[in-house]
Amino acid sequence: MKRQLRLGVLASGRGSNLQAIVNACEAGQINAVVAIVISDVAEAYALERGRRYGIEAAFIDSTRHRTRNDFDAAVLDLLRKRDVELVCLAGYMRLLSPSFVEAYKNRIMNIHPALLPAFPGLHVQRKALQYGLKFSGCTVHFVDEGVDTGPIIIQAVVPVLDNDTEEDLSARILAYEHRIYPRAIQLFAEGRLEIRGRRVLCHGTDTPQQQEKQAWGAINP
Ligand code: GRF
């Protein structure tokens, strides 16, 4: 078996995407291991989930660090000590400092519950409903200095139904997040992703037919 890619997951909340990643690792769908879970929220359920799987779970207290840079330096230090190769943001509610992004350049991913570049930021399912979208979805992208602006790796399209509440739409999108995030990590682990400008190319899918299959396959594995 090839050496496993070492993941560091940063999460501020319930950690269902973390769970999907752990499940995919355990099922052998991705050749990776979650080396550490880090949260800026002491009671984040993501930490609890990590511990249940015997994964190191660390809370870093932002009130003990004067600036965003100081806080990020503490996170970075821990990630490096654990030899983390890919950082996965999974409901992490802090904007990374430029020095963090630079330290893990093109090795940080995020999952966002909308079809970027539409609706970056927060409360996006509510905004999608207010706008009257017929389709929304989710996006896995590399992280740059902006808010949800980095190069897009995989997107999944999800229908918006007439009577959807914010919770209904969030839940429908979340099910697709859990499919595409592990898939994007797997492609990274296989060394198949190449960032060219704003575009992320996926090697090993040479014909248009293969590319189409790959795109839909990410959603319906
Ligand atoms: C997800 O909707 C993700 O797209 C967004 O934050 C939420 C995190 O959910 N970035 P969970 O903590 O992974 O369950």
Side-chain angles (χ1 to χ4, degrees), residues 1-6 31-32 83 85 189:
M1 193 176 163
K2 281 216 307 234
R3 199 183 63 79
Q4 291 179 313
L5 182 76
R6 293 179 64 77
N31 189 26
D83 296 319
E85 298 160 293

Side-chain angles (χ1 to χ4, degrees), residues 13-18 90-92 110-113 125 174 177-178:
R14 67 190 163 186
S16 71
N17 278 287
L18 164 68
Y92 189 57
N110 181 43
I111 178 96
H112 182 75
Q125 294 94 341
L174 193 66
E177 294 183 33
H178 297 163

Side-chain angles (χ1 to χ4, degrees), residues 6-11 34-40 47 51 55-61 65 69-87 92 100 103-104:
R6 293 179 64 77
L7 309 176
V9 178
L10 307 191
V34 179
I36 188 164
V37 179
I38 299 176
S39 184
D40 59 327
L47 291 173
R51 288 188 195 110
I55 299 167
E56 182 182 2
F59 161 59
I60 299 188
D61 189 349
H65 298 273
N69 268 335
D70 288 350
F71 177 86
D72 278 5
V75 177
L76 256 182
D77 186 51
L78 200 45
L79 292 170
R80 284 177 168 145
K81 280 187 176 137
R82 300 298 178 266
D83 296 319
V84 166
E85 298 160 293
L86 177 68
V87 179
Y92 189 57
F100 190 123
Y104 270 93

